[in-house]
Structure formats: structure tokens, C-alpha cells
Amino acid sequence: MTAQLASRQPFARGGNRLCFIDPDDASRCIKVRRPDFTLADCRRKKGFPKNLKPLSSFDDSLEEFGVMQSFERHYPDSIFQHISRCYGFVDTDMGRGLSSELIRDSDGRISITLKQYVWERGYSDDCRAAVEQLCEHWLSHCVPSRDILVHNVVVQREIGEADERIRRLVVIDGLGSANLIPLRWQPRAVQRAKTQRKIANFHQRIETLIQTRSRDEFPGTHGLLFHDGLDATTPTSKDSPQS
Ligand SMILES: Nc1ncnc2c1ncn2[C@@H]1O[C@H](COP(=O)(O)OP(=O)(O)O)[C@@H](O)[C@H]1O
Ligand SMILES: [Mg+2]
């Protein structure tokens, strides 16, 4: 069955993909290639010699699916406490889409990114503790990842009557190492050292965001949601905000 996405409004857009709520399952999202930035555009942008590589090597979703399968096979299931699960490919009217666990807050709203959270509320103690917990998790599992970007981490919240607290941070993109040799084949000490570097880099990125915020500079629209996923009506793509 082909999922009809083109007539719907995506809830978010990354550098490469548009994210839609799965029309058949509100607990999942479907990520498709951005029609305004195709794989061919992506390859062209890389320039020589990277543009000699096959188109498929620029497909993030294909790579992400491979990484997620390797997590399922070779890592304990607890690795998914801080990583969104991946359910494989589905056909859509916008090409092949990757189906993933959609991270929502306890009130049903789609969770915002760490970037948006820190931008709106600052680096609260609650958030600091959640970041620490994510970093401990990364180190204890030696999760192979690219640099952990603040717009690739979402903040899942428990919303109460009077207050709210962070349940967990979930990394939704940028997984798998760029290395030819899988991280898990390398000695544990090397894995830990590499993971430590990713964690230090993550802290640095949060620090940069806090500084940008203190100067009141606009951090860019990357990682801002288009809608919260609770609308009763189905918005059409005509209502999408401009890039
Ligand atoms: N599983 C998810 N749960 C909640 N929000 C998500 C999820 N996946 C993506 N998003 C939102 O969509 C944005 C873009 O998704 P992403 O997978 O990072 O696309 P890209 O590969 O283009 O960078 C993210 O910054 C985040 O706000
Ligand atoms: Mg991303």
C-alpha cells in the first residue's frame, strides 16, 4: 500500500529529509527525501572526487536503516532507550520512505529538539541532567555515531498539571560511524576514547548554542517543528511554512 503524504503537511524538515506522521499509525513517522534537494543535488554539492560515488551512497535513509539493523543484531536492546527505533522502508507517493518511532511528549505533542528546548528555556538543571544521562548511555554502549547535533536530539517530556519534566533525550539522526571498520570491531578502549570525543563535541555544541542565545542571535530554522502533531484537521502542504 502506498502512503499518501504529498497532500499532508510535514511536521519537520532536516537538511535532507521531510518528516511526516504516518497516516496509518500516529506512533510512527515516515521520512522521505526532500523533493527540493534530491540525491543528485546532494551529489553535485559534494564536488570532486566524492561526486564519483554512486547515488545510493548519498542516501541517508538507506544508511540509517543499515545502522539500525546492526544495532538490533549486535547491541543490547537497551541501546534504544535513547535512540528512535526504525521499522524499515514503506512506499509513499513521495518515493521510498523510512518508517521510525515518532517521539511524542506525554500529552501527545511531537517532542521538540534539544536546540529548540535550550533556545526557548535555557539550559535548565533538568535538561543538564538529561544530557548527562544521554552521555552516560552513549559511553556505556559505545554507540557509533557522527557528531551529536542539537537538532538531531529530541527532548521527550512528561507534562503534568502544573509542571513538566524531561523523561529522556532521544537521538533521531546521525547514527553509525563514518569509519570503514565498524566501531564494535575495534578494541573497547578505542571505542570508549572515540565515544568520549563525541560527547565532548556534543557538550561544545550545547555551549555554542547557549552563547548564541545569550547574544540573542537567531539560531536558524533547522530543528523547529512545523506543527505539533495534535491538529484535529489534516493541514495540506499548501499551508507549509516557507523555507
Ligand atoms: N523520530 C522522530 N521523532 C520526533 N521528531 C523527529 C523524529 N525524526 C525526526 N524528527 C524531527 O524532524 C527533524 C528532521 O529529521 P532528520 O531525521 O534529522 O532529517 P535529516 O536527515 O534531513 O536531517 C528533526 O530535527 C526533528 O525535529
Ligand atoms: Mg537531521
Side-chain angles (χ1 to χ4, degrees), residues 14-15 17 149 151-152 172-174 222:
R17 299 179 292 186
L149 308 182
H151 53 263
N152 285 337
I172 51 84
D173 185 24
H222 251 69

Side-chain angles (χ1 to χ4, degrees), residues 154-220:
V154 299
V155 181
Q156 189 177 44
R157 286 174 292 175
E158 207 75 65
I159 314 282
E161 289 278 298
D163 55 2
E164 58 169 62
R165 59 170 203 85
I166 297 175
R167 184 192 291 170
R168 59 173 182 156
L169 300 186
V170 184
V171 179
I172 51 84
D173 185 24
L175 295 154
S177 70
N179 236 298
L180 273 182
I181 303 163
L183 193 61
R184 70 191 157 82
W185 289 0
Q186 299 173 33
R188 196 68 180 171
V190 175
Q191 293 190 37
R192 285 182 68 86
K194 288 189 173 173
T195 311
Q196 289 277 20
R197 284 206 285 280
K198 294 292 172 205
I199 291 172
N201 177 283
F202 181 44
H203 283 302
Q204 191 53 54
R205 285 172 188 277
I206 295 171
E207 189 50 44
T208 304
L209 176 61
I210 296 166
Q211 279 168 17
T212 311
R213 182 176 187 264
S214 68
R215 289 195 299 270
D216 216 16
E217 285 167 14
F218 186 57

Side-chain angles (χ1 to χ4, degrees), residues 94-175:
M94 298 183 72
R96 196 177 51 174
L98 189 60
S99 169
S100 314
E101 174 189 12
L102 176 56
I103 309 301
R104 291 179 184 264
D105 296 343
S106 63
D107 62 359
R109 287 194 163 78
I110 297 172
S111 299
I112 60 173
T113 62
L114 180 60
K115 178 177 172 180
Q116 184 172 353
Y117 183 96
V118 171
W119 187 255
E120 289 176 355
R121 294 144 201 267
Y123 199 26
S124 62
D125 289 346
D126 195 22
C127 189
R128 228 173 261 273
V131 164
E132 270 326 305
Q133 200 183 53
L134 175 68
C135 293
E136 276 167 27
H137 180 81
W138 233 239
L139 195 58
S140 68
H141 289 77
C142 287
V143 182
S145 73
R146 308 293 166 87
D147 285 351
I148 309 166
L149 308 182
V150 286
H151 53 263
N152 285 337
V153 178
V154 299
V155 181
Q156 189 177 44
R157 286 174 292 175
E158 207 75 65
I159 314 282
E161 289 278 298
D163 55 2
E164 58 169 62
R165 59 170 203 85
I166 297 175
R167 184 192 291 170
R168 59 173 182 156
L169 300 186
V170 184
V171 179
I172 51 84
D173 185 24
L175 295 154

